[in-house]
Amino acid sequence: MKNWWKRFGLSMFSDKCAAESTEYGAGMVLVTAVLAAIFVFIGVFVGNYAMFGADYSNARVFREFVYESVIDGDVRIITYADGADVTIGGEKAVVNTFADGKADKDGYGFIVDHNNVSSYDDFIAYCKNTDGGEDISYESYLELSKEDRLSYVFTVEHSGKIKTVDDVSAKKYREYLLTVKAAESDLKEADDSKATVSPQQYNNALYELYVSYYYPDMNAASGENVPTLRGYYYYNYILPSNGKYFCIFGDMITGSFVTGTGKHVDFGMSYGKDGLEFADGDTRSQKEKTVDEFIKSGYYDGLTALFFSDFMMSFITLLLTEFTIAAVMVLCWLVCRGLRIELGGSFADSAKIVGSYAHWPALFAAAAAIVTGVFASGAAVVVAAALTYLAVLAARTAPLLVKQYKISRRKEAEGEQE
């Protein structure tokens, strides 16, 4: 066991320890491969998300915009278990400076909507004529022949108005679904759950099934299975905003800003137990501090959930790390075979050699990801970690192979002399 820990800790720096790894099993390869992925992932996660506090503090223009929008706009947020009550001047209202053409001088836009962004949007579905002709309703489109339908593209227009599914509407949706053979099992599942969900949840389930079967191209046209307020705000205002916005909704807050160093930062947060209210007599600086603490604490409160939910970043990080280890192992083996280096003559031996120190470069890669996170975010952080990992792993392996090549040639020379 002592030798295992010795090789685990010193193979990065000792050729002797790395070479001795070929005499043992492949257990260390598995351990270091897992550790490497964990180290790199943590570095990428910290680089992408944990820098938010510093980024926010370094975004003076954005913070001043938020102060003006929230404090001067008299915005209050009272949180509860399932969301929050968002008011402006004590009233539930909607503000959209993008729509009003009142984005501030630096291009930032402010949106407040007391409704949840997950609320259904009362959308308009129609079919656009690709030949420049007149658009038609979706109902008219369904009456066309297959050949005539080729001249039209299904299109969805968000309205920004809430769609509430009442009992009358739900009954109509269910009657339609009964006529669709393919919907039989889904409808049965919804009906079976009726006793365990609220009446509104049941109505919503029928509506979602109706949309999916009546509008089969909905996702391709709207980016959502069922259009919501999220899609309305995203496609109409957030996407064209060049990444400069601050939005407060009934169930979340989202924003995007540019720091003083030019770094672009996107963020989102759900509500915690603390809302956003000001005490009577608070000075301007106290109110600004309250806003800062509300945003930063809300963001960091959600990091734990983000850590486990960011599957795509986890998958890419894992894939890049393990692919790099495998690639260097294969390259080491090919070089050893091509140059007749005795130590790594088999793939198993090459794998054990590289695996004995594969976790160490991951620490350098994690550090590179964190440093990169100061200036950039997203894919740039992942790329920085991946390139650093490859560079350090290759830089450790190359001198080892050179040394072993010289040893193998010396042994050959000695054998010839004998």
Side-chain angles (χ1 to χ4, degrees):
M1 193 64 181
K2 181 179 180 181
N3 285 335
W4 192 95
W5 283 108
K6 181 180 178 182
R7 288 179 285 112
F8 178 82
L10 299 178
S11 289
M12 182 68 182
F13 315 100
S14 169
D15 290 347
K16 179 181 178 182
C17 289
E20 288 177 353
S21 297
T22 60
E23 302 173 9
Y24 298 88
M28 183 175 292
V29 176
L30 298 176
V31 172
T32 58
V34 172
L35 284 178
I38 292 174
F39 291 159
V40 175
F41 172 75
I42 291 175
V44 170
F45 186 86
V46 172
N48 262 326
Y49 300 113
M51 298 294 180
F52 178 78
D55 292 334
Y56 178 78
S57 298
N58 192 29
R60 179 185 56 80
V61 174
F62 175 71
R63 285 188 290 106
E64 290 178 352
F65 160 74
V66 172
Y67 300 151
E68 180 180 343
S69 301
V70 173
I71 299 173
D72 297 343
D74 196 19
V75 176
R76 298 291 187 276
I77 302 173
I78 301 175
T79 60
Y80 51 90
D82 299 325
D85 281 331
V86 180
T87 61
I88 301 174
E91 302 291 334
K92 289 188 175 182
V94 176
V95 170
N96 186 344
T97 62
F98 287 117
D100 298 338
K102 297 178 181 178
D104 85 330
K105 60 183 176 61
D106 296 297
Y108 283 101
F110 182 52
I111 296 174
V112 178
D113 192 330
H114 60 87
N115 296 296
N116 294 350
V117 288
S118 56
S119 301
Y120 299 133
D121 181 271
D122 194 10
F123 65 92
I124 301 170
Y126 64 97
C127 293
K128 185 175 293 186
N129 192 306
T130 57
D131 298 325
E134 186 176 347
D135 298 339
I136 61 174
S137 68
Y138 185 67
E139 289 71 23
S140 298
Y141 168 81
L142 293 177
E143 296 175 358
L144 298 177
S145 65
K146 289 185 177 180
E147 183 177 346
D148 289 339
R149 289 183 183 185
L150 297 177
S151 298
Y152 293 90
V153 175
F154 177 66
T155 306
V156 173
E157 182 178 318
H158 291 82
S159 69
K161 298 176 182 177
I162 298 294
K163 165 75 174 182
T164 301
V165 186
D166 56 27
D167 292 341
V168 175
S169 298
K171 182 179 179 181
K172 290 196 304 183
Y173 299 145
R174 190 176 187 283
E175 289 173 352
Y176 166 77
L177 291 167
L178 287 171
T179 67
V180 181
K181 182 67 175 177
E184 185 176 327
S185 62
D186 288 333
L187 180 58
K188 183 179 184 304
E189 184 179 342
D191 287 342
D192 290 344
S193 68
K194 186 175 182 179
T196 60
V197 299
S198 69
Q200 188 60 59
Q201 288 175 319
Y202 175 69
N203 289 352
N204 290 347
L206 293 177
Y207 174 64
E208 292 181 7
L209 285 177
Y210 167 78
V211 171
S212 68
Y213 284 101
Y214 190 67
Y215 304 105
D217 297 324
M218 177 59 73
N219 191 281
S222 70
E224 301 176 289
N225 292 328
V226 180
T228 63
L229 283 187
R230 179 184 287 105
Y232 167 72
Y233 283 114
Y234 178 75
Y235 289 108
N236 288 289
Y237 304 108
I238 293 178
L239 190 60
S241 71
N242 295 319
K244 290 186 173 184
Y245 58 87
F246 184 61
C247 307
I248 300 175
F249 300 110
D251 52 355
M252 67 169 295
I253 288 177
T254 184
S256 181
F257 59 86
V258 179
T259 68
T261 58
K263 178 182 176 181
H264 203 118
V265 179
D266 300 318
F267 72 96
M269 51 181 271
S270 299
Y271 295 114
K273 61 180 181 179
D274 297 323
L276 178 62
E277 297 182 87
F278 307 113
D280 293 337
D282 276 357
T283 64
R284 179 72 178 194
S285 62
Q286 288 173 324
K287 291 180 179 179
E288 291 177 356
K289 184 178 179 181
T290 299
V291 171
D292 292 341
E293 291 177 349
F294 171 75
I295 292 176
K296 289 194 284 189
S297 64
Y299 176 85
Y300 283 115
D301 284 346
L303 273 189
T304 302
L306 185 61
F307 184 89
F308 292 103
S309 66
D310 199 344
F311 172 78
M312 185 55 67
M313 187 185 75
S314 304
F315 180 75
I316 292 175
T317 302
L318 175 64
L319 191 64
L320 286 173
T321 304
E322 302 308 325
F323 176 79
T324 302
I325 295 174
V328 173
M329 286 177 175
V330 171
L331 185 60
C332 176
W333 173 55
L334 292 176
V335 170
C336 288
R337 286 194 62 185
L339 298 180
R340 304 192 313 278
I341 298 174
E342 181 180 350
L343 182 66
S346 69
F347 177 74
D349 285 348
S350 293
K352 292 174 184 178
I353 292 170
V354 175
S356 68
Y357 50 76
H359 54 300
W360 276 101
L363 295 176
F364 292 92
I370 294 172
V371 172
T372 303
V374 176
F375 309 100
S377 60
V381 176
V382 177
V383 171
L387 292 178
T388 301
Y389 186 72
L390 174 61
V392 176
L393 191 61
R396 170 64 186 101
T397 305
L400 176 62
L401 294 181
V402 170
K403 182 176 180 179
Q404 291 301 319
Y405 173 76
K406 293 179 179 179
I407 292 174
S408 296
R409 296 294 77 78
R410 185 170 64 249
K411 287 182 178 180
E412 287 184 0
E414 291 174 353
E416 292 174 357
Q417 290 176 2
E418 295 177 357

